[in-house]
Amino acid sequence: MQQTTVRIIKWIALFIVLALALLCYSMGTMSGFIAIIVVGFLLEGAFWLFGYRLFNRKKASEHSSQTS
């Protein structure tokens, strides 16, 4: 159960990062402030990096449990 809770927290954090990236993009384009767009770009990069790691770990753990 603890592993499931950690996985849910990671998913929630991942979607919060994506929501913040979208918020920064929209605020940056409305105000014309380039730094906010850059922050949005960095947050989106974090989303893809951590999302890839989350999916990659899931597949690796499924693969190891199938071979056991």
Side-chain angles (χ1 to χ4, degrees):
M1 174 134 160
Q2 184 181 13
Q3 187 179 15
T4 305
T5 306
V6 170
R7 186 175 293 167
I8 290 170
I9 291 172
K10 286 182 181 181
W11 277 102
I12 291 171
L14 189 65
F15 285 113
I16 287 173
V17 168
L18 180 62
L20 287 173
L22 293 173
L23 179 68
C24 286
Y25 283 141
S26 65
M27 287 176 54
T29 54
M30 288 183 353
S31 68
F33 196 52
I34 300 297
I36 296 176
I37 296 174
V38 171
V39 170
F41 179 71
L42 293 173
L43 287 169
E44 183 183 358
F47 169 78
W48 287 111
L49 178 67
F50 294 122
Y52 174 75
R53 286 184 179 176
L54 187 62
F55 286 123
N56 195 19
R57 286 183 187 164
K58 184 176 180 182
K59 289 180 183 178
S61 65
E62 287 176 357
H63 180 67
S64 65
S65 65
Q66 289 176 355
T67 58
S68 301

